[in-house]
Amino acid sequence: MIQVCLNGQRGAGDGAVVPLSPEALAESAAEAVAAGATDIHVHPKSPCGQDSLSPRVLAQTLEAIRARVSVPVGVTTGAWTEPDPVARLERVRNWTVLPDHASVNWHEAGAEELAAALIERGVGVEAGIWSGTDGAARFAASPLGPRVLRVLAEVTDTSAETAEASARALLADLGPAFGRPVLLHGEDGGAWPVLRLAGRLGLATRIGLEDTLTLPDGERALSNARLVAEGLVQYGRLP
């Protein structure tokens, strides 16, 4: 599986290729799915371009994307969207249109409660386990571990030279991960080395403008679709 991560925390300063509005996200999602993406991860944005958990913002974004594609659509619940864990939980409980899945960063305060609320509402949970955090240890002790949709092994090492080693260390820390499917991905300079490793290991992965603005040769990526098309090539490439 290759998931497309459409925008992440990027904004207007990252260039016009990064989709921000519901309409732009829907168009980018449709192009990425046509290029081969089978799942979508998106950061809904407020009118001022900030990541948002607002029920209204979420509904507009999901409805626009679902009008164009039929693959599952997931959203972030990162702490930066709402720093207060209680307020973040309340936002999720007030969602009127539900995503197919939502990522929960296990090292963040309130992760267990947030994941439980999502599961209760029938939303799949992607357990975000970041390298360089205690997320793997917390997840290993979580009673919710067997109930998550999948584990996002998120390599925060952005060096092209060391990201693969960091990815292998993170996977070792995760261990059996309750037998849940693992999606392995990197970011910036580490995005392409980690994607190729995921292909060699037979793990799901993701690519998109959230994770990298460039193609493997360093050329600026002009769209999520271009990244997905190249990701499929790199994913299946022999070492």
Side-chain angles (χ1 to χ4, degrees):
M1 181 189 87
I2 290 190
Q3 181 185 79
V4 62
C5 46
L6 294 174
N7 57 355
Q9 295 186 67
R10 301 193 191 274
D14 295 297
V17 298
V18 179
L20 302 176
S21 70
E23 296 75 18
L25 287 164
E27 179 67 19
S28 188
E31 293 173 352
V33 169
T38 55
D39 194 276
I40 293 168
H41 174 75
V42 62
H43 289 211
K45 303 284 186 180
S46 67
C48 62
Q50 299 300 309
D51 286 6
S52 176
L53 296 180
S54 158
R56 180 182 57 82
V57 170
L58 191 85
Q60 289 175 342
T61 300
L62 290 175
E63 288 169 351
I65 293 174
R66 285 170 170 161
R68 299 292 303 276
V69 302
S70 58
V71 303
V73 184
V75 302
T76 184
T77 64
W80 59 88
T81 60
E82 173 50 72
D84 180 357
V86 175
R88 188 162 66 251
L89 182 61
E90 190 65 18
R91 284 283 200 180
V92 167
R93 285 177 171 159
N94 287 331
W95 284 349
T96 55
V97 176
L98 298 179
D100 296 286
H101 51 77
S103 60
V104 176
N105 299 321
W106 230 260
H107 65 281
E108 294 176 348
E112 291 275 344
E113 295 81 2
L114 187 61
L118 288 163
I119 291 171
E120 182 180 343
R121 300 206 66 189
V123 177
V125 169
E126 295 181 309
I129 311 300
W130 292 21
S131 63
T133 73
D134 63 353
R138 288 190 182 192
F139 183 68
S142 173
L144 297 177
R147 301 177 63 191
V148 304
L149 175 66
R150 58 178 157 256
V151 172
L152 299 184
E154 307 198 52
V155 181
T156 59
D157 181 351
T158 60
S159 167
E161 289 71 35
T162 59
E164 180 177 329
S166 296
R168 291 185 182 276
L170 176 58
L171 292 173
D173 288 343
L174 274 170
F178 298 100
R180 305 313 302 146
V182 173
L183 188 158
L184 176 67
H185 76 97
E187 58 186 47
D188 293 325
W192 292 109
V194 173
L195 181 144
R196 289 190 287 268
L197 176 62
R200 294 197 297 275
L201 297 178
L203 299 175
T205 193
R206 80 179 199 186
I207 199 69
L209 292 166
E210 172 175 355
D211 286 348
T212 181
L213 296 173
T214 60
L215 297 167
D217 62 3
E219 179 185 350
R220 180 84 173 189
L222 296 180
S223 68
N224 279 302
R226 184 69 183 87
L227 287 169
V228 168
E230 184 61 32
L232 286 167
V233 173
Q234 297 287 320
Y235 185 72
R237 197 181 77 174
L238 294 175

